[in-house]
Amino acid sequence: MTEMPLFPLGAVLFPGGHLPLQIFEERYLDMVGRCLRKGLPFGVVSLTEGGDVRKRGDAGHAPEIFKSIGTMARITAWQSPHPGLIRIDCVGEQRFQVLGQRKLKHGLWLGDVERLAADQVVAVPDDLVHVAQQLESLIQRMQAEASSPQPLRATTPFAFDDCGWVANRWCELLPLPHAMKQNLLALDSPLVRLELIADFLERG
């Protein structure tokens, strides 16, 4: 079990995914500074109540309530265009479960987290190869149309033969309901995750 700073967001980060953030709240500026100095990740957890941003002096803001399954985020690049603002790029690493949490005076959450096992590398079965092929075609089309490759930057090298990698990339690219993305993240089986993505694609 490890103590880790938590960043509740209205988004779900998957292992291998790319997450750009603009940091301007004191609690997160402090968190990012510590992570950069020590080379440590922070934990991204999905909000169920409350907002991403806490306004200064807003005593009536809704309390932040978040899911217990999240993903570690490691900062891969950063810049500070002016004092009080840091832009960071992060990559999703290992999933974790929050076993306990506490909130510091300036609003930063700290969690006692347990790392969850990384997805096993599972070959895409024959009946789901078309799902991987659709993803490959979509990525190629996005790149050919000069769409920003930034959301895919942290996912290379591509692994179209791996269930977990294919499922996670679809989870990021599809307009899935927020709760469904969180449920998919919580699944321990990458094959089941990909099967559910295939069902969604067929219904769409």
Side-chain angles (χ1 to χ4, degrees):
M1 191 164 62
T2 305
E3 187 175 68
M4 177 178 296
L6 301 177
F7 198 143
L9 282 176
V12 180
L13 176 64
F14 287 82
H18 172 243
L19 179 67
L21 291 170
Q22 289 200 101
I23 307 298
F24 51 86
E25 289 189 68
E26 178 187 353
R27 53 178 172 168
Y28 296 133
L29 289 170
D30 177 63
M31 178 194 76
V32 167
R34 289 175 181 268
C35 288
L36 286 171
R37 286 194 300 272
K38 298 184 178 182
L40 296 174
F42 60 92
V44 173
V45 286
S46 176
L47 277 168
T48 57
E49 292 185 34
D52 292 348
V53 178
R54 190 182 62 173
K55 297 179 181 178
R56 181 174 297 178
D58 181 9
H61 65 275
E64 295 162 323
I65 301 176
F66 45 83
K67 291 290 187 178
S68 62
I69 303 293
T71 303
M72 297 180 184
R74 187 169 297 277
I75 301 170
T76 57
W78 69 278
Q79 57 177 318
S80 181
H82 56 75
L85 175 65
I86 300 178
R87 294 192 179 104
I88 60 175
D89 287 318
C90 306
V91 60
E93 295 189 331
Q94 196 167 0
R95 296 180 308 142
F96 62 84
Q97 181 172 9
V98 180
L99 302 179
Q101 62 203 46
R102 63 188 178 95
K103 196 174 187 179
L104 301 182
K105 288 183 178 180
H106 67 332
L108 180 68
W109 287 96
L110 294 179
D112 294 322
V113 308
E114 181 179 48
R115 295 170 185 260
L116 299 178
D119 284 345
Q120 292 185 348
V121 176
V122 178
V124 176
D126 292 344
D127 62 330
L128 294 176
V129 166
H130 66 285
V131 180
Q133 291 172 337
Q134 284 177 268
L135 176 65
E136 186 172 10
S137 296
L138 175 60
I139 290 176
Q140 289 175 348
R141 187 163 63 250
M142 291 171 62
Q143 293 173 333
E145 293 173 353
S147 299
S148 171
Q150 191 171 6
L152 300 171
R153 183 171 59 194
T155 67
T156 54
F158 298 151
F160 295 108
D161 57 349
D162 176 46
C163 282
W165 189 91
V166 173
N168 290 349
R169 303 295 75 79
W170 270 124
C171 288
E172 294 159 355
L173 292 169
L174 286 172
L176 300 173
H178 186 86
M180 183 177 179
K181 289 190 177 189
Q182 179 63 36
N183 290 338
L184 289 166
L185 175 70
L187 289 172
D188 290 328
S189 170
L191 176 57
V192 173
R193 199 179 305 144
L194 186 59
E195 289 172 339
L196 291 172
I197 289 294
D199 290 343
F200 182 88
L201 289 169
E202 289 177 7
R203 291 197 304 269

